[in-house]
Amino acid sequence: MCRSIKTLRPPALPEEATEDDIRAAALQFVRKVSGFRAPAAHNREVFERAVDEIAEATARLLDGLEVRGAHPGVRRQEREPQPDAV
């Protein structure tokens, strides 16, 4: 397990994971599996595509999880949209 990847579900993360949290975890996973911190130019497209696909799969996973005993409204899909900060 890559130590840089943190648990993104409650109660380990007290708030909903952000897109940045999810993308950072996906990037760390791809780096670990590929063995490259940054891909060469000829591998950049496949590297970035893998990060995107893993981030999407992670978001779907978090959306579908039901954490029993968690505070009401913790499931991502049940949360109210937040108004834009002014």
Side-chain angles (χ1 to χ4, degrees):
M1 180 68 175
C2 185
R3 294 180 193 175
S4 298
I5 300 174
K6 62 184 178 180
T7 302
L8 298 180
R9 66 157 182 84
L13 193 65
E15 299 175 348
E16 179 179 327
T18 66
E19 288 183 31
D20 288 340
D21 293 330
I22 293 170
R23 181 140 181 100
L27 177 59
Q28 287 301 318
F29 179 81
V30 172
R31 285 176 173 169
K32 185 68 169 186
V33 170
S34 70
F36 296 114
R37 174 151 172 60
H42 62 278
N43 287 325
R44 187 167 294 123
E45 183 179 340
V46 70
F47 188 93
E48 288 299 321
R49 186 172 46 237
V51 172
D52 292 342
E53 290 172 1
I54 292 167
E56 289 170 12
T58 301
R60 285 192 308 272
L61 170 67
L62 293 173
D63 284 343
L65 288 176
E66 179 182 335
V67 181
R68 295 196 175 174
H71 298 290
V74 169
R75 289 183 66 182
R76 291 171 54 92
Q77 61 197 26
E78 294 177 354
R79 297 194 85 153
E80 293 292 324
Q82 299 297 317
D84 292 333
V86 176

